Amino acid sequence: AGEYTLTVAVSSSKERAELPLNFTIKEKLPPRLALSVDGLPTKRGAPNATFSYTVTLKNEGGEDLLVTLSASQPKNMQVSIKSSGQEVTELEVPANSSKSLSVTAESFVTLEAGKYPFTVQAVAGDVKAELELIAEVIGKGSLKVSAQDGRLSGQAIAGKETPLKIVLTNNGTAPLRG
């Protein structure tokens, strides 16, 4: 580490030119991590979809780091982090380099429509990076038609009003309208 001066000189039989160059060499860069998502941080899908994200983990420091990876778990979902197809909780990241991660969020049950945010964390000693991702479930209505007694038939007399009671049930994960 320090400040240095270098002079580049050129000469011919008639002239001479010099260009002084000053440069500084610093100590190693301090440890620093960054997490970023390729594309948008929000993925949309059906109530039973698997939400997949490509995340880049970058070691912006001057020395190799052993990084611990974790993710918060949204309600009724399991989040996993993979590198090169293998599920990982720790990863060696060389100085000033990046690793590509695959983050997936899978549902245990058929989810209700809504947003399910979760956070991916990378920690190496005192250095920490976080990235918030969102799995947005787009609900789907499912209409069931039945009668109170279970029969979908009845009797009617011509010319007279005969009420038939019908039960409409939405077994889906989103409201139905109209």
Side-chain angles (χ1 to χ4, degrees):
E3 293 192 20
Y4 298 90
T5 301
L6 174 70
T7 303
V8 178
V10 293
S11 62
S12 69
S13 60
K14 295 180 183 177
E15 292 188 42
R16 177 175 169 84
E18 291 185 2
L19 176 64
L21 299 174
N22 297 319
F23 58 96
T24 304
I25 296 178
K26 294 187 176 184
E27 297 289 332
K28 288 183 187 177
L29 290 172
R32 195 167 109 188
L33 291 172
L35 282 169
S36 61
V37 64
D38 295 347
L40 298 173
T42 300
K43 299 285 183 176
R44 299 175 86 187
N48 56 354
T50 297
F51 300 88
S52 298
Y53 308 82
T54 301
V55 172
T56 302
L57 170 63
K58 182 168 174 89
N59 177 356
E60 297 175 337
E63 48 187 77
D64 298 353
L65 294 175
L66 180 61
V67 180
T68 301
L69 300 165
S70 64
S72 62
Q73 305 295 319
K75 185 177 181 183
N76 293 323
M77 295 186 87
Q78 173 69 42
V79 178
S80 62
I81 302 170
K82 293 181 180 179
S83 176
S84 301
Q86 298 290 331
E87 197 162 332
V88 292
T89 56
E90 285 188 336
L91 195 59
E92 181 79 30
V93 185
N96 201 27
S97 68
S98 299
K99 294 280 185 176
S100 182
L101 304 172
S102 174
V103 177
T104 57
E106 292 183 78
S107 62
F108 294 133
V109 296
T110 301
L111 298 171
E112 294 291 323
K115 292 184 179 184
Y116 295 82
F118 61 97
T119 304
V120 176
Q121 292 183 339
V123 179
D126 295 338
V127 182
K128 182 178 180 181
E130 290 186 343
L131 177 65
E132 184 168 318
L133 300 172
I134 299 172
E136 184 175 356
V137 174
I138 306 302
K140 182 177 176 185
S142 175
L143 188 62
K144 178 183 173 191
V145 179
S146 63
Q148 286 180 329
D149 61 3
R151 296 183 308 145
L152 287 176
S153 62
Q155 291 184 347
I157 299 173
K160 290 188 173 183
E161 280 190 26
T162 308
L164 297 172
K165 293 186 179 182
I166 299 173
V167 178
L168 297 175
T169 307
N170 180 359
N171 292 327
T173 58
L176 290 169
R177 292 181 179 83

